[in-house]
């Protein structure tokens, strides 16, 4: 099996996907066990916490989740009374999202857990390694954004 994986593990994006999947699975298990919310639900709650009155469309853009999934998540969170939806006063097509007291409480509790998990994850890196990692991640993100503007150049 290891031999077959060699081709995949040579690609940075595959290695990042594996890491990301494992980290998200751990976070989801912890958040669901402690507070009954999935990582995706928490992403919506955190956005509404940071930006009270955020629109559903803004959640879609900021969360990097698809529109249909965001709609289902918001409906589920509203049913559980963690957030409320409000039709826009200026434009009825806009749905604004506000957290309930319980929703805000869950975000605060999950943020504490998230910081603990992140400290544990980063504990294997020295302070200088962390700073270098942050700089590298910023540079790689900027490069992929530049490459996305001209993806056709890779096809020639």
């Amino acid at each position: 099996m290891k031999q077959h994986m060699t081709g995949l593990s040579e690609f940075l994006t595959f290695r990042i996907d594996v890491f990301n999947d494992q980290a998200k699975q751990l976070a989801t298990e912890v958040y669901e066990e402690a507070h009954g919310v999935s990582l995706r639900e928490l992403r919506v709650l955190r956005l509404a916490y940071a930006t009270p009155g955020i629109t559903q469309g803004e959640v879609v853009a900021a969360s990097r989740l698809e529109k249909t999934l965001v709609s289902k998540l918001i409906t589920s969170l509203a049913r559980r009374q963690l957030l409320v939806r409000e039709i826009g006063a200026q434009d009825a097509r806009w749905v604004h999202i506000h957290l309930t007291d319980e929703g805000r409480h869950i975000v605060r509790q999950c943020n504490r857990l998230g910081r603990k998990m992140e400290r544990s994850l980063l504990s294997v890196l020295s302070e200088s390694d962390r700073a270098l990692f942050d700089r590298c991640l910023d540079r790689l993100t900027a490069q992929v954004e530049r490459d996305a503007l001209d993806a056709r150049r890779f096809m020639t």
Side-chain angles (χ1 to χ4, degrees):
M1 183 64 153
K2 183 79 167 169
Q3 210 169 26
H4 297 291
M5 294 297 288
T6 304
L8 285 175
S9 64
E10 292 173 8
F11 288 93
L12 174 63
T13 54
F14 178 77
R15 292 175 59 207
I16 290 170
D17 278 348
V18 169
F19 165 77
N20 189 47
D21 287 346
Q22 290 172 329
K24 288 192 315 188
Q25 181 61 38
L26 170 63
T28 288
E29 288 172 13
V30 169
Y31 294 137
E32 284 180 345
E33 176 71 23
H35 297 288
V37 293
S38 71
L39 188 58
R40 288 177 172 171
E41 289 170 327
L42 183 56
R43 192 177 296 182
V44 171
L45 293 173
R46 281 177 168 157
L47 287 167
Y49 184 88
T51 311
I54 191 170
T55 66
Q56 192 164 320
E58 290 169 331
V59 170
V60 169
S63 68
R64 296 193 170 264
L65 298 171
E66 68 176 52
K67 185 178 181 178
T68 307
L69 178 58
V70 168
S71 179
K72 288 178 183 178
L73 292 170
I74 289 172
T75 297
S76 171
L77 292 165
R79 265 194 217 119
R80 292 164 48 201
Q81 299 180 342
L82 299 178
L83 60 77
V84 293
R85 293 175 283 196
E86 177 183 275
I87 303 299
Q90 302 293 331
D91 188 336
R93 294 174 295 181
W94 295 99
V95 176
H96 298 272
I97 300 157
H98 299 274
L99 294 185
T100 62
D101 288 341
E102 180 64 16
R104 284 188 291 278
H105 174 74
I106 285 176
V107 170
R108 287 191 295 270
Q109 295 302 310
C110 287
N111 284 349
R112 284 188 193 102
L113 286 173
R115 283 189 284 278
K116 284 182 185 178
M117 286 187 283
E118 194 158 288
R119 276 193 304 272
S120 176
L121 178 65
L122 292 172
S123 70
V124 298
L125 301 177
S126 68
E127 200 61 42
S128 62
D129 285 344
R130 286 183 215 167
L132 176 60
F133 178 73
D134 284 340
R135 286 194 309 275
C136 289
L137 192 55
D138 288 345
R139 288 175 23 209
L140 288 168
T141 300
Q143 184 61 40
V144 80
E145 289 169 356
R146 284 190 296 273
D147 285 348
L149 295 173
D150 187 22
R152 286 174 287 161
R153 71 184 171 96
F154 296 108
M155 296 177 226
T156 58

